[in-house]
Amino acid sequence: MQNSAEKYLRTEKLPHIWCPGCGNGIVLGAMVRAFEKLGCDQDNTVIVSGIGCSSRAAGYMDFNTLHTTHGRALAFATGIKLARPEITVFVIMGDGDSSSIGGNHLIHAARRNIDLTAVIFNNSIYGMTGGQYSPLTPTGSRATTAPYSTIERPFDLPDLARAAGATYVARSTSYHAAMLTKLITAGATHKGFSLIEAITACPVSFGRRNKMGDGYDMLMWQKEHAVPVEKAKDKTPEEMRGKFLIGELYKTEAPEYTDLYNQLIRKSQMISREE
Ligand code: SF4
Ligand code: MG
């Protein structure tokens, strides 16, 4: 019998291109376990990705996959979902891809509450394109474009998505991989726009410049700095300084975009028949 990795991965494409210690494979593994829990039908599931190290993950997944242009994964995914609303669509993006080049697509996909599940691999840097800082790079970090450290404040991506209208928002890390699977599964089951941020390690482009050690050390950093939402309730602002929340951060119900769109089509057809 096939295991979930054999079923959902294009094993003939392996080994993958990621550097030793990279967290992308852990996030990919969490997604595969979510596909298994969801019982994803390979013919009726689409994975769309943008550009960057993390977006290469789509190529390893055995579904209908699209490796699209930088920042435009959500635009492609929106088109697919509008044409075939019954299809399950996952969107893989990196931090730069989703919040800078594709930032406008992100806020409008969230505002529309279109039923897509976006998994953001946040490694705090543009890894593949040369180590530039992104809108999610922590203040004070070094990057090729910030040799004396960044002075910009990063977005809190879950807060941004929630404010823009996303109805399911969550965050985990590659250290907390089991939680990540749970959140991706819940996000995919939720009807509406779901965003799951996966904090992951890039020891080569980010860790090396910021003296964070190797892949293992960066996983330990995630363990020490992530605070589950339930535990954060008992912590003081002082104890939370420099830490970040993980878990299900926000969930609500709102009309979904393709449902509204199809209602509008039916309404317009009725009006034109009456005329
Ligand atoms: Fe992973 Fe960073 Fe290497 Fe890209 S550059 S594969 S994110 S370790
Ligand atoms: Mg990145």
Side-chain angles (χ1 to χ4, degrees):
M1 201 176 123
Q2 270 185 323
N3 61 37
S4 58
E6 284 163 349
K7 180 170 182 196
Y8 291 118
L9 292 179
R10 294 176 176 138
T11 47
E12 71 280 9
K13 298 268 184 198
L14 300 173
H16 58 69
I17 61 149
W18 297 315
C19 310
C22 177
N24 287 347
I26 301 177
V27 183
L28 170 67
M31 288 190 76
V32 167
R33 283 183 277 278
F35 299 148
E36 187 181 28
K37 279 177 187 276
L38 292 160
C40 283
D41 169 7
Q42 281 152 294
D43 291 329
N44 287 300
T45 302
V46 176
I47 318 281
V48 186
S49 68
I51 291 293
C53 297
S54 55
S55 282
R56 296 294 287 260
Y60 302 126
M61 295 176 176
D62 196 5
F63 293 92
N64 299 291
T65 58
L66 277 90
H67 189 191
T68 68
T69 49
H70 214 173
R72 310 292 173 236
L74 281 168
F76 283 85
T78 297
I80 294 163
K81 192 70 189 176
L82 274 173
R84 297 280 304 275
E86 74 282 8
I87 275 181
T88 303
V89 183
F90 290 89
V91 189
I92 294 172
M93 294 171 280
D95 45 313
D97 195 33
S98 63
S99 67
S100 181
I101 306 130
N104 223 357
H105 293 296
L106 180 75
I107 56 172
H108 294 291
R111 181 175 62 83
R112 292 182 185 122
N113 194 34
I114 186 163
D115 189 23
L116 306 171
T117 305
V119 181
I120 315 293
F121 291 49
N122 178 9
N123 63 359
S124 308
I125 200 99
Y126 286 90
M128 185 177 276
T129 50
Q132 300 92 340
Y133 70 92
S134 84
L136 301 191
T137 303
T139 313
S141 309
R142 288 176 194 270
T144 50
T145 45
Y148 304 109
S149 79
T150 56
I151 53 171
E152 296 181 17
R153 292 179 302 160
F155 283 132
D156 181 311
L157 202 62
D159 278 358
L160 179 71
R162 175 183 173 163
T167 48
Y168 184 90
V169 177
R171 181 195 282 130
S172 188
T173 79
S174 47
Y175 177 83
H176 304 84
M179 180 195 284
L180 191 53
T181 295
K182 218 170 111 193
L183 297 172
I184 294 167
T185 308
T189 311
H190 174 79
K191 176 119 177 164
F193 187 75
S194 304
L195 180 140
I196 299 101
E197 181 184 14
I199 307 277
T200 178
C202 170
V204 171
S205 283
F206 186 75
R208 183 167 52 86
R209 280 192 187 87
N210 289 285
K211 300 194 171 23
M212 292 183 77
D214 60 14
Y216 171 82
D217 297 324
M218 292 183 80
L219 278 174
M220 291 303 112
W221 183 93
Q222 291 167 17
K223 180 187 176 198
E224 282 152 22
H225 289 80
V227 181
V229 268
E230 310 76 42
K231 290 196 178 155
K233 291 188 190 102
D234 306 323
K235 299 213 179 283
T236 63
E238 187 54 41
E239 286 169 326
M240 283 301 291
R241 191 157 298 145
K243 305 274 172 73
F244 57 87
L245 292 175
I246 54 169
E248 203 167 84
L249 305 177
Y250 182 66
K251 189 177 174 185
T252 192
E253 300 295 326
E256 191 275 328
Y257 187 69
T258 61
D259 279 352
L260 295 175
Y261 188 72
N262 286 317
Q263 282 170 24
L264 189 65
I265 290 172
R266 284 195 290 277
K267 192 173 160 191
S268 67
Q269 286 168 339
M270 275 166 60
I271 291 169
S272 57
R273 260 187 241 119
E274 285 163 9
E275 282 171 355

